[in-house]
Amino acid sequence: MATIIKHRKVRIVMLDEGEAIAGQCGAGDIAIVADAGGWWTHFVGADGALDSYDEPFPSRDAAVWAAKAAAEYGLE
């Protein structure tokens, strides 16, 4: 089950293995997804399009910190 953190009115959704971003996130959300390479931070657009950083973060905490920093500046 996804874990949701609200920061500056932005939902940061940490997905469990096998959960789809489209099934858990909406426009303006930030999705955090783990894979073999690390922790990815995805920004969900109005039409469901995803924008992501070029590389995954090495830890869950680093990904959450980056998501909170992005929320501080607002998402467009």
Side-chain angles (χ1 to χ4, degrees):
M1 176 175 220
T3 301
I4 299 172
I5 299 170
K6 292 260 314 200
H7 187 77
R8 301 281 185 190
K9 299 182 182 178
V10 175
R11 285 178 9 122
I12 300 169
V13 183
M14 292 178 289
L15 300 170
D16 287 336
E17 186 176 337
E19 289 183 309
I21 293 173
Q24 300 291 326
C25 299
D29 289 348
I30 301 172
I32 298 177
V33 180
D35 69 11
W39 294 83
W40 290 93
T41 303
H42 302 287
F43 303 93
V44 182
D47 58 357
L50 298 177
D51 191 16
S52 306
Y53 292 123
D54 292 339
E55 296 181 19
F57 290 92
S59 70
R60 176 184 174 269
D61 289 342
V64 170
W65 180 88
K68 286 182 177 181
E72 288 287 327
Y73 293 101
L75 303 173
E76 309 242 341

